[in-house]
Amino acid sequence: MSTYQNEIQKAAEEIKQAGKAWSAISAESVARMRMQNRFQNGLDVAKYTAAIMRKDMAEYDADPAQYTQSLGCWHGFIGQQKLIAIKKHLKTTNKRYLYLSGWMVAALRSEFGPLPDQSMHEKTVVSALIKELYTFLRQADQRELDLLFTALDNAREAGDSAKAKSIEDQINNYETHVVPIIADIDAGFGNAEATYLLAKQMIEAGACCIQIENQVSDEKQCGHQDGKVTVPHSDFLAKINAVRYAFLELGVTDGVIVARTDSLGAGLTKQIAVTNEPGDLGDQYNSFLDCEEISADQLGNGDVIIKRDGKLLRPKRLPSNLFQFRAGTGEDRCVLDCITSLQNGADMIWIETEKPHIGQIKGMVDRVREVIPNAKLVYNNSPSFNWTLNFRQQVYDAMQEAGQDVAAYDRNDLMNVEYDSTELGQQADERIRTFQRDASRDAGIFHHLITLPTYHTAALSTDNLAKGYFADQGMLAYVRNVQREEIRQGIATVKHQNMAGSDIGDNHKEYFAGEAALKASGKDNTMNQF
């Protein structure tokens, strides 16, 4: 990346070549605006972030302690504030991403209003949110660099050359808020061509990583709801190919595809797979169907049969015209899904589970790694899990198996607040705290995400404010619990005019009009109270 002084020199040469007509243009102001607009479009973002992800994947292969994390964000402002917080508290965005959740797009961003996670929302809302997220992340860069430019001007005005040099070093080494987004394309919103067209829009908006699942598009269900219906491997692999073609067409040659399998909780299929010879992928898919052996004279009107190992088999067909898999085959189907996807163009896998259990995840990933040694998992640390209950049950069972006395605990009432400070409660909390580290080490998880945390945080914080403000606390509910905490914790939004870009605008006005600029940040701006 070019240095501040190099950018000034480059702009000065361009202005000089233009002659007197550009005499009012400041080379330093041009340099500042260029540095504040490092990414010219979404493809610039996608190419930049794809390289980051590939680097992180290689580092994880060398050391599983180098896992990555993200939180799902349903608005550009939420994503922006998350990255600002990361930079403030952790000093670097390294290994921290954003997740774009189809669940939250459906619930919060559809023009139809709140929808369940069933691919009923407008497909273009997905790419629009990616664009929005990166617009806000780029604005975070503009704002922070603008503050550094103002500090540089102040240091020069004060004659403090050492401070000016220090600030210029910060400008030259500035770390952007722009990080990779793992973007949910659901089941592809239609056929493979529809998947390709939407994938292009998502990549053009900035997505370097697209996650796609093996459910039927028009029957898609949330991964933690019942009634999930999967498709044969050939259908799913065509959509993986469609996404790869979109990446390659747009020049993002290192774009990342995450293939998600919902087979663990999906007991149904809409179609019987095409098979040409015993043991091929279609035959393997069909081998999991719940069938009964029949003879030719037992065939009924409209029956569907398959021939396997010389036998006639009638798959169990439901009144919905869906076919049923045999009970207990979910893990085997997941493993086959993962291996097949990784062998046919996917870069990582996602296994949707019904609980956060490292042993269960490890068991499946170990089987995948027997075939694909560097298989890596993206895992949903889902709010659909009752984390407290699940881990207290795991600890209770472990204590009981080890012969410890568990008489003080009621396994059917482990959510009870009375258990919070007990040995069982504390052990469970410690397992939750280290879950991501332990699962990355033991179960091949490269990336941990929470799909819809900011859905819950927005609801919780709004409830707490409303509870006091509309009751006897009045303004104190806001001042004590929001504004006072913003000030004391150094939350930048307390200066909301600055966060929204008023100071950037003032500086631009000065670039454009000089001393004649009408600026908003004068002495009467109430933001000066903070």
Side-chain angles (χ1 to χ4, degrees):
M1 186 174 174
S2 181
T3 68
Y4 185 52
Q5 292 300 325
N6 287 343
E7 286 294 337
I8 294 173
Q9 183 178 353
K10 179 182 176 183
E13 291 171 356
E14 292 167 351
I15 292 168
K16 182 178 179 181
Q17 289 174 6
K20 291 184 179 180
W22 287 12
S23 61
I25 303 296
S26 161
E28 186 160 17
S29 297
V30 171
R32 290 180 177 188
M33 294 176 81
R34 284 177 171 172
M35 296 190 82
Q36 288 174 298
N37 190 27
R38 173 180 175 184
F39 303 99
Q40 300 295 307
N41 53 54
L43 282 178
D44 283 351
V45 171
K47 292 172 183 177
Y48 169 78
T49 53
I52 290 174
M53 258 193 107
R54 291 291 179 175
K55 174 186 71 70
D56 289 346
M57 290 163 68
E59 290 176 358
Y60 174 80
D61 285 341
D63 178 8
Q66 301 299 311
Y67 59 89
T68 58
Q69 300 167 292
S70 67
L71 296 174
C73 298
W74 54 272
H75 191 279
F77 178 73
I78 301 297
Q80 178 197 66
Q81 293 305 303
K82 189 192 92 168
L83 266 298
I84 287 174
I86 288 171
K87 284 192 70 177
K88 181 177 76 171
H89 295 296
L90 303 169
K91 310 307 178 188
T92 179
T93 63
N94 185 40
K95 305 280 190 295
R96 281 99 187 185
Y97 303 168
L98 284 178
Y99 179 65
L100 186 149
S101 161
W103 194 101
M104 285 207 287
V105 171
L108 297 170
R109 301 304 299 264
S110 172
E111 291 187 11
F112 293 109
L115 294 172
D117 183 22
Q118 295 172 358
S119 288
M120 295 190 291
H121 54 280
E122 311 89 328
K123 64 177 71 175
T124 53
V125 179
V126 183
S127 51
L129 179 53
I130 296 170
K131 182 178 180 180
E132 177 182 289
L133 284 162
Y134 280 127
T135 297
F136 274 81
L137 295 185
R138 291 162 66 190
Q139 194 263 1
D141 284 357
Q142 290 178 317
R143 174 186 163 273
E144 277 198 359
L145 284 166
D146 186 72
L147 292 172
L148 286 172
F149 295 146
T150 299
L152 178 60
D153 291 340
N154 292 338
R156 288 171 174 173
E157 189 175 336
D160 190 338
S161 58
K163 187 172 183 180
K165 174 65 167 60
S166 173
I167 294 168
E168 196 168 318
D169 287 342
Q170 292 177 59
I171 294 168
N172 287 335
N173 295 294
Y174 182 77
E175 183 182 52
T176 178
H177 293 85
V178 170
V179 297
I181 287 179
I182 296 177
D184 185 359
I185 199 171
D186 278 18
F189 287 91
N191 60 19
E193 174 70 4
T195 302
Y196 153 76
L197 292 172
L198 179 54
K200 274 186 65 176
Q201 280 202 349
M202 292 168 69
I203 298 161
E204 288 169 338
C208 72
C209 177
I210 293 176
Q211 162 225 328
I212 186 166
E213 62 202 58
N214 69 334
Q215 292 193 49
V216 177
S217 285
D218 57 356
E219 302 282 359
K220 183 261 189 303
Q221 298 276 20
C222 171
H224 292 108
Q225 291 184 314
D226 203 358
K228 293 185 291 296
V229 184
T230 63
V231 297
H233 296 96
S234 58
D235 293 37
F236 188 53
L237 297 181
K239 291 188 175 182
I240 290 176
N241 287 340
V243 175
R244 181 62 67 200
Y245 272 107
F247 272 125
L248 293 173
E249 177 183 339
L250 295 172
V252 187
T253 55
D254 51 357
V256 179
I257 299 174
V258 176
R260 168 176 146 178
T261 171
D262 280 279
S263 291
L264 191 63
L268 304 169
T269 183
K270 196 168 187 176
Q271 62 198 97
I272 295 171
V274 173
T275 173
N276 297 309
E277 58 183 49
D280 65 12
L281 266 181
D283 191 41
Q284 291 180 67
Y285 187 80
N286 294 340
S287 72
F288 295 114
L289 292 170
D290 190 1
C291 300
E292 59 178 336
E293 185 178 350
I294 62 169
S295 60
D297 59 356
Q298 292 176 298
L299 285 174
N301 186 50
D303 272 356
V304 173
I305 62 167
I306 58 176
K307 183 178 180 182
R308 198 164 196 272
D309 297 330
K311 301 174 182 177
L312 293 180
L313 304 174
R314 179 166 55 198
K316 188 170 292 185
R317 184 161 60 176
L318 306 180
S320 60
N321 203 29
L322 298 171
F323 297 95
Q324 184 173 291
F325 290 114
R326 295 194 315 278
T329 62
E331 288 200 6
D332 289 340
R333 286 183 281 125
C334 277
V335 171
L336 180 61
D337 294 342
C338 293
I339 292 171
T340 300
S341 296
L342 291 172
Q343 288 177 331
N344 290 274
D347 300 291
M348 286 189 284
I349 52 178
W350 170 322
I351 300 174
E352 194 77 321
T353 66
E354 82 288 359
K355 60 182 180 292
H357 193 289
I358 293 175
Q360 178 196 38
I361 304 163
K362 172 178 166 54
M364 288 183 280
V365 172
D366 283 351
R367 291 174 62 189
V368 175
R369 285 184 158 181
E370 290 175 6
V371 182
I372 315 286
N374 69 336
K376 288 176 283 296
L377 192 65
V378 172
Y379 188 70
N380 178 8
N381 292 228
S382 177
S384 294
F385 304 145
N386 186 330
W387 286 76
T388 302
L389 180 61
N390 270 288
F391 277 86
R392 286 183 179 181
Q393 288 175 342
Q394 289 178 38
V395 171
Y396 180 97
D397 293 343
M399 291 172 68
Q400 189 175 56
E401 188 175 342
Q404 293 180 247
D405 183 7
V406 293
Y409 308 108
D410 179 356
R411 197 180 188 281
N412 296 317
D413 189 35
L414 291 177
M415 282 297 296
N416 197 313
V417 68
E418 294 180 3
Y419 295 145
D420 286 2
S421 59
T422 64
E423 179 187 357
L424 182 146
Q426 291 174 351
Q427 280 191 39
D429 282 355
E430 180 62 11
R431 287 194 184 196
I432 294 170
R433 187 186 72 83
T434 64
F435 173 80
Q436 295 188 344
R437 182 191 69 194
D438 297 341
S440 291
R441 180 192 63 229
D442 298 335
I445 298 178
F446 161 77
H447 185 78
H448 288 275
L449 60 89
I450 308 179
T451 42
L452 46 141
T454 53
Y455 177 89
H456 294 279
T457 56
L460 180 62
S461 61
T462 302
D463 180 87
N464 288 332
L465 176 59
K467 177 173 58 179
Y469 177 76
F470 291 104
D472 62 346
Q473 293 297 302
M475 254 328 272
L476 183 59
Y478 174 78
V479 171
R480 181 173 58 196
N481 298 323
V482 181
Q483 189 180 79
R484 195 176 292 166
E485 289 304 309
E486 283 183 305
I487 295 169
R488 291 175 176 173
Q489 295 183 41
I491 307 297
T493 52
V494 74
K495 295 186 177 183
H496 47 258
Q497 308 286 14
N498 170 268
M499 182 58 66
S502 66
D503 288 344
I504 295 172
D506 273 358
N507 286 331
H508 286 176
K509 291 174 187 176
E510 194 167 10
Y511 298 167
F512 307 153
E515 293 181 357
L518 181 63
K519 298 167 68 174
S521 57
K523 62 181 180 62
D524 292 329
N525 188 325
T526 60
M527 194 169 66
N528 295 330
Q529 296 174 24
F530 299 100

PDB file of all heavy atoms in Angstrom, residues 486-503:
ATOM      1  N   GLU A 486     -21.693   4.870  27.563  1.00  0.00           N
ATOM      2  CA  GLU A 486     -20.966   5.205  26.332  1.00  0.00           C
ATOM      3  C   GLU A 486     -19.759   6.086  26.654  1.00  0.00           C
ATOM      4  O   GLU A 486     -18.647   5.856  26.143  1.00  0.00           O
ATOM      5  CB  GLU A 486     -21.881   5.950  25.359  1.00  0.00           C
ATOM      6  CG  GLU A 486     -22.874   5.098  24.613  1.00  0.00           C
ATOM      7  CD  GLU A 486     -23.679   5.922  23.631  1.00  0.00           C
ATOM      8  OE1 GLU A 486     -24.296   6.915  24.038  1.00  0.00           O
ATOM      9  OE2 GLU A 486     -23.684   5.576  22.434  1.00  0.00           O
ATOM     10  N   ILE A 487     -19.977   7.095  27.486  1.00  0.00           N
ATOM     11  CA  ILE A 487     -18.890   8.017  27.840  1.00  0.00           C
ATOM     12  C   ILE A 487     -17.790   7.275  28.598  1.00  0.00           C
ATOM     13  O   ILE A 487     -16.597   7.389  28.269  1.00  0.00           O
ATOM     14  CB  ILE A 487     -19.434   9.189  28.678  1.00  0.00           C
ATOM     15  CG1 ILE A 487     -20.396  10.046  27.846  1.00  0.00           C
ATOM     16  CG2 ILE A 487     -18.291  10.046  29.227  1.00  0.00           C
ATOM     17  CD1 ILE A 487     -21.181  11.066  28.655  1.00  0.00           C
ATOM     18  N   ARG A 488     -18.181   6.512  29.599  1.00  0.00           N
ATOM     19  CA  ARG A 488     -17.188   5.860  30.464  1.00  0.00           C
ATOM     20  C   ARG A 488     -16.453   4.721  29.767  1.00  0.00           C
ATOM     21  O   ARG A 488     -15.302   4.446  30.080  1.00  0.00           O
ATOM     22  CB  ARG A 488     -17.883   5.378  31.740  1.00  0.00           C
ATOM     23  CG  ARG A 488     -18.318   6.550  32.631  1.00  0.00           C
ATOM     24  CD  ARG A 488     -19.106   6.109  33.845  1.00  0.00           C
ATOM     25  NE  ARG A 488     -19.408   7.268  34.702  1.00  0.00           N
ATOM     26  CZ  ARG A 488     -20.192   7.222  35.768  1.00  0.00           C
ATOM     27  NH1 ARG A 488     -20.763   6.077  36.126  1.00  0.00           N
ATOM     28  NH2 ARG A 488     -20.418   8.304  36.490  1.00  0.00           N
ATOM     29  N   GLN A 489     -17.128   4.062  28.821  1.00  0.00           N
ATOM     30  CA  GLN A 489     -16.484   2.958  28.109  1.00  0.00           C
ATOM     31  C   GLN A 489     -15.828   3.395  26.802  1.00  0.00           C
ATOM     32  O   GLN A 489     -15.243   2.569  26.102  1.00  0.00           O
ATOM     33  CB  GLN A 489     -17.509   1.858  27.817  1.00  0.00           C
ATOM     34  CG  GLN A 489     -18.061   1.182  29.060  1.00  0.00           C
ATOM     35  CD  GLN A 489     -19.018   0.058  28.729  1.00  0.00           C
ATOM     36  OE1 GLN A 489     -18.780  -0.723  27.802  1.00  0.00           O
ATOM     37  NE2 GLN A 489     -20.102  -0.045  29.475  1.00  0.00           N
ATOM     38  N   GLY A 490     -15.924   4.688  26.494  1.00  0.00           N
ATOM     39  CA  GLY A 490     -15.288   5.183  25.277  1.00  0.00           C
ATOM     40  C   GLY A 490     -15.956   4.685  24.010  1.00  0.00           C
ATOM     41  O   GLY A 490     -15.283   4.415  23.005  1.00  0.00           O
ATOM     42  N   ILE A 491     -17.286   4.555  24.028  1.00  0.00           N
ATOM     43  CA  ILE A 491     -18.023   4.120  22.846  1.00  0.00           C
ATOM     44  C   ILE A 491     -18.150   5.313  21.900  1.00  0.00           C
ATOM     45  O   ILE A 491     -18.700   6.354  22.261  1.00  0.00           O
ATOM     46  CB  ILE A 491     -19.424   3.584  23.215  1.00  0.00           C
ATOM     47  CG1 ILE A 491     -19.312   2.495  24.291  1.00  0.00           C
ATOM     48  CG2 ILE A 491     -20.139   3.069  21.979  1.00  0.00           C
ATOM     49  CD1 ILE A 491     -18.555   1.274  23.874  1.00  0.00           C
ATOM     50  N   ALA A 492     -17.649   5.160  20.685  1.00  0.00           N
ATOM     51  CA  ALA A 492     -17.542   6.307  19.776  1.00  0.00           C
ATOM     52  C   ALA A 492     -18.896   6.891  19.396  1.00  0.00           C
ATOM     53  O   ALA A 492     -18.988   8.064  19.045  1.00  0.00           O
ATOM     54  CB  ALA A 492     -16.790   5.884  18.510  1.00  0.00           C
ATOM     55  N   THR A 493     -19.955   6.090  19.473  1.00  0.00           N
ATOM     56  CA  THR A 493     -21.264   6.589  19.047  1.00  0.00           C
ATOM     57  C   THR A 493     -21.814   7.666  19.965  1.00  0.00           C
ATOM     58  O   THR A 493     -22.818   8.304  19.614  1.00  0.00           O
ATOM     59  CB  THR A 493     -22.297   5.440  18.970  1.00  0.00           C
ATOM     60  OG1 THR A 493     -22.294   4.727  20.215  1.00  0.00           O
ATOM     61  CG2 THR A 493     -21.999   4.519  17.819  1.00  0.00           C
ATOM     62  N   VAL A 494     -21.213   7.888  21.124  1.00  0.00           N
ATOM     63  CA  VAL A 494     -21.693   8.991  21.971  1.00  0.00           C
ATOM     64  C   VAL A 494     -21.604  10.304  21.198  1.00  0.00           C
ATOM     65  O   VAL A 494     -22.416  11.213  21.373  1.00  0.00           O
ATOM     66  CB  VAL A 494     -20.928   9.052  23.307  1.00  0.00           C
ATOM     67  CG1 VAL A 494     -19.511   9.590  23.123  1.00  0.00           C
ATOM     68  CG2 VAL A 494     -21.688   9.898  24.334  1.00  0.00           C
ATOM     69  N   LYS A 495     -20.617  10.414  20.298  1.00  0.00           N
ATOM     70  CA  LYS A 495     -20.535  11.546  19.366  1.00  0.00           C
ATOM     71  C   LYS A 495     -21.191  11.101  18.061  1.00  0.00           C
ATOM     72  O   LYS A 495     -20.531  10.871  17.053  1.00  0.00           O
ATOM     73  CB  LYS A 495     -19.080  11.956  19.143  1.00  0.00           C
ATOM     74  CG  LYS A 495     -18.389  12.508  20.387  1.00  0.00           C
ATOM     75  CD  LYS A 495     -17.000  13.031  20.049  1.00  0.00           C
ATOM     76  CE  LYS A 495     -16.322  13.644  21.267  1.00  0.00           C
ATOM     77  NZ  LYS A 495     -14.996  14.218  20.940  1.00  0.00           N
ATOM     78  N   HIS A 496     -22.518  10.980  18.103  1.00  0.00           N
ATOM     79  CA  HIS A 496     -23.206  10.356  16.988  1.00  0.00           C
ATOM     80  C   HIS A 496     -23.116  11.182  15.705  1.00  0.00           C
ATOM     81  O   HIS A 496     -23.164  10.633  14.612  1.00  0.00           O
ATOM     82  CB  HIS A 496     -24.677  10.077  17.347  1.00  0.00           C
ATOM     83  CG  HIS A 496     -25.381  11.220  17.983  1.00  0.00           C
ATOM     84  ND1 HIS A 496     -25.613  11.284  19.342  1.00  0.00           N
ATOM     85  CD2 HIS A 496     -25.899  12.357  17.464  1.00  0.00           C
ATOM     86  CE1 HIS A 496     -26.258  12.411  19.629  1.00  0.00           C
ATOM     87  NE2 HIS A 496     -26.433  13.079  18.513  1.00  0.00           N
ATOM     88  N   GLN A 497     -22.960  12.510  15.813  1.00  0.00           N
ATOM     89  CA  GLN A 497     -22.815  13.329  14.598  1.00  0.00           C
ATOM     90  C   GLN A 497     -21.508  12.979  13.883  1.00  0.00           C
ATOM     91  O   GLN A 497     -21.468  12.837  12.657  1.00  0.00           O
ATOM     92  CB  GLN A 497     -22.839  14.821  14.947  1.00  0.00           C
ATOM     93  CG  GLN A 497     -24.024  15.262  15.793  1.00  0.00           C
ATOM     94  CD  GLN A 497     -25.309  15.326  15.001  1.00  0.00           C
ATOM     95  OE1 GLN A 497     -25.399  14.812  13.894  1.00  0.00           O
ATOM     96  NE2 GLN A 497     -26.331  15.941  15.571  1.00  0.00           N
ATOM     97  N   ASN A 498     -20.464  12.820  14.672  1.00  0.00           N
ATOM     98  CA  ASN A 498     -19.173  12.426  14.098  1.00  0.00           C
ATOM     99  C   ASN A 498     -19.253  11.039  13.475  1.00  0.00           C
ATOM    100  O   ASN A 498     -18.757  10.810  12.372  1.00  0.00           O
ATOM    101  CB  ASN A 498     -18.086  12.465  15.176  1.00  0.00           C
ATOM    102  CG  ASN A 498     -16.782  11.840  14.718  1.00  0.00           C
ATOM    103  OD1 ASN A 498     -16.545  10.655  14.926  1.00  0.00           O
ATOM    104  ND2 ASN A 498     -15.945  12.639  14.087  1.00  0.00           N
ATOM    105  N   MET A 499     -19.908  10.110  14.174  1.00  0.00           N
ATOM    106  CA  MET A 499     -20.018   8.748  13.656  1.00  0.00           C
ATOM    107  C   MET A 499     -20.767   8.722  12.340  1.00  0.00           C
ATOM    108  O   MET A 499     -20.477   7.914  11.446  1.00  0.00           O
ATOM    109  CB  MET A 499     -20.718   7.849  14.699  1.00  0.00           C
ATOM    110  CG  MET A 499     -20.844   6.394  14.292  1.00  0.00           C
ATOM    111  SD  MET A 499     -19.258   5.584  13.943  1.00  0.00           S
ATOM    112  CE  MET A 499     -18.518   5.607  15.580  1.00  0.00           C
ATOM    113  N   ALA A 500     -21.752   9.601  12.209  1.00  0.00           N
ATOM    114  CA  ALA A 500     -22.553   9.635  10.980  1.00  0.00           C
ATOM    115  C   ALA A 500     -21.852  10.371   9.846  1.00  0.00           C
ATOM    116  O   ALA A 500     -22.367  10.410   8.725  1.00  0.00           O
ATOM    117  CB  ALA A 500     -23.911  10.267  11.255  1.00  0.00           C
ATOM    118  N   GLY A 501     -20.678  10.975  10.126  1.00  0.00           N
ATOM    119  CA  GLY A 501     -19.888  11.562   9.052  1.00  0.00           C
ATOM    120  C   GLY A 501     -19.879  13.069   8.963  1.00  0.00           C
ATOM    121  O   GLY A 501     -19.407  13.631   7.971  1.00  0.00           O
ATOM    122  N   SER A 502     -20.341  13.778  10.014  1.00  0.00           N
ATOM    123  CA  SER A 502     -20.415  15.243   9.908  1.00  0.00           C
ATOM    124  C   SER A 502     -19.031  15.886   9.800  1.00  0.00           C
ATOM    125  O   SER A 502     -18.844  16.847   9.043  1.00  0.00           O
ATOM    126  CB  SER A 502     -21.182  15.832  11.102  1.00  0.00           C
ATOM    127  OG  SER A 502     -20.480  15.636  12.313  1.00  0.00           O
ATOM    128  N   ASP A 503     -18.049  15.363  10.520  1.00  0.00           N
ATOM    129  CA  ASP A 503     -16.703  15.954  10.463  1.00  0.00           C
ATOM    130  C   ASP A 503     -16.033  15.665   9.117  1.00  0.00           C
ATOM    131  O   ASP A 503     -15.301  16.516   8.592  1.00  0.00           O
ATOM    132  CB  ASP A 503     -15.835  15.420  11.611  1.00  0.00           C
ATOM    133  CG  ASP A 503     -16.264  15.979  12.956  1.00  0.00           C
ATOM    134  OD1 ASP A 503     -17.002  16.990  12.974  1.00  0.00           O
ATOM    135  OD2 ASP A 503     -15.880  15.410  13.998  1.00  0.00           O
TER     136      ASP A 503
END
